[in-house]
Amino acid sequence: MIGTRLRELRTARGLSLRSLAAETGLSATLLSQIERGVTEPSLKSLRLVADVFGQSVAMLFDEDAVPAVHISHAGERSKITSPRGHIQYERLMPGNAQLAVLRGVLEPGESSSDEPWSHVAIECAYVLTGVLTVMVGDAAHDVVAGDAITIDSRQPHRYCNTTHHTVEFILAVNPPTP
């Protein structure tokens, strides 16, 4: 989905892969791989591409119209890597620039980023399995399976797994963050 949308935007603007690469600082090879669906781009890469088009990252996921019904099939979802890091999220819903719903998995000792970071949004994380440690500022909040935490994302934060078991969670972000 991202690759097709990127190709549409690039060709509509009359840009070659090399010229888009020059504007973004990304390699033409990487852009070609993204367009062909060979690789999943990081959010940092998506942000660089979106900036060239003067749009938000969400527009790279936008479809012509948000369907009245959409089934998100396992194994067919697009994936994005957190801008600061180490976690790859699965997008659970089609993009409409209003809400991002993501599935995250952290293995023991993993975190979403090396350092807490902030952005303008509200986030709600619902823990499916395990214990998710949410760092907000200097405070650590342990959220167990079945519980949810909502945070003002303007506060520096990150998600961590400090246990010996895999943590799986659903993350809703409004507005979607590049």
Side-chain angles (χ1 to χ4, degrees):
M1 179 170 61
I2 294 169
T4 302
R5 181 77 171 132
L6 175 57
R7 184 179 303 111
E8 289 170 358
L9 291 167
R10 181 180 59 77
T11 56
R13 187 120 175 251
L15 294 172
S16 67
L17 282 169
R18 286 191 178 144
S19 58
L20 182 58
E23 288 193 48
T24 61
L26 302 171
S27 73
T29 301
L30 175 62
L31 292 169
S32 173
Q33 290 173 341
I34 293 169
E35 283 190 1
R36 292 180 288 126
V38 173
T39 190
E40 295 287 343
S42 69
L43 279 174
K44 180 179 179 181
S45 296
L46 289 174
R47 189 179 311 123
L48 291 169
V49 169
D51 286 348
V52 168
F53 298 107
Q55 303 273 342
S56 71
V57 170
M59 68 89 188
L60 291 172
F61 297 99
D62 284 348
E63 299 161 352
D64 291 336
V66 176
V69 175
H70 175 80
I71 297 175
S72 172
H73 296 285
E76 297 177 8
R77 299 179 188 123
S78 63
K79 294 180 177 145
I80 55 176
T81 303
S82 74
R84 304 267 191 239
H86 308 286
I87 187 169
Q88 188 173 69
Y89 292 105
E90 281 185 280
R91 297 184 81 246
L92 299 179
M93 62 181 286
N96 65 5
Q98 297 174 21
L99 176 68
V101 179
L102 310 166
R103 176 183 167 266
V105 176
L106 289 172
E107 296 300 329
E110 291 183 339
S111 63
S112 59
S113 60
D114 288 329
E115 298 294 326
W117 71 290
S118 60
H119 52 96
V120 177
I122 298 294
E123 295 184 20
C124 180
Y126 174 78
V127 180
L128 298 167
T129 62
V131 178
L132 180 66
T133 300
V134 182
M135 301 297 300
V136 182
D138 293 331
H141 305 275
D142 288 335
V143 185
V144 300
D147 287 353
I149 184 172
T150 301
I151 64 170
D152 178 342
S153 302
R154 293 176 294 183
Q155 304 300 312
H157 63 283
R158 72 183 182 138
Y159 299 99
C160 306
N161 181 353
T162 59
T163 72
H164 298 290
H165 304 283
T166 300
V167 174
E168 182 179 1
F169 61 102
I170 303 298
L171 180 64
V173 183
N174 182 25
T177 302

